[in-house]
Amino acid sequence: METLLHRDALARFGHALSDPTRTQIQSNLRTGPTHLSELADRIRVSRQILSNHLACMRGCGLVVAVPRVGRSRYELADRRIRHALDDLLGLLLAVGPASCPAADEECC
């Protein structure tokens, strides 16, 4: 099994958060596992689009599919990811949206 360097792991995590749909997926999975159809309805995207994003996130090691009778359930790959998302969200809220550039502007 390949071991990622710290910078590569952070880059993958950052890449997953850089897309609004993947951010919504991670935010929803913070609260617990769910099925693809329920998650698609919650974040209002097609199942195909959601499936593509989940495949990307599985490849990065952030999400896992847990087989269940009839369909798979998706969840964060590690409980520490939820804690990291909670910490990051708390930090971003403390900084405040006024200090961040608009979504279409380059940052840093």
Side-chain angles (χ1 to χ4, degrees):
M1 181 169 213
E2 184 179 324
T3 302
L4 295 175
L5 298 172
H6 289 110
R7 68 168 189 246
D8 293 335
L10 286 172
R12 285 181 181 217
F13 193 70
H15 177 72
L17 290 174
S18 70
D19 180 89
T21 301
R22 289 192 298 269
T23 300
Q24 286 182 291
I25 292 168
Q26 290 185 0
S27 180
N28 275 271
L29 293 179
R30 273 179 52 236
T31 61
T34 191
H35 295 96
L36 187 131
S37 59
E38 295 164 6
L39 187 55
D41 290 343
R42 266 191 235 154
I43 64 174
R44 297 180 180 185
V45 297
S46 72
R47 292 178 185 170
Q48 181 61 47
I49 288 172
L50 181 62
S51 181
N52 291 341
H53 282 288
L54 286 168
C56 171
M57 294 169 72
R58 282 194 317 268
C60 289
L62 299 172
V63 171
V64 294
V66 179
R68 295 286 184 226
V69 176
R71 59 186 180 163
S72 293
R73 182 182 78 184
Y74 290 87
E75 60 187 54
L76 296 174
D78 189 303
R79 63 182 169 78
R80 292 174 291 184
I81 295 170
R82 182 179 58 82
H83 295 297
L85 291 168
D86 289 343
D87 289 344
L88 185 57
L89 184 58
L91 174 64
L92 292 175
L93 291 175
V95 170
S99 62
C100 296
D104 60 343
E105 293 179 26
E106 191 66 31
C107 183
C108 304

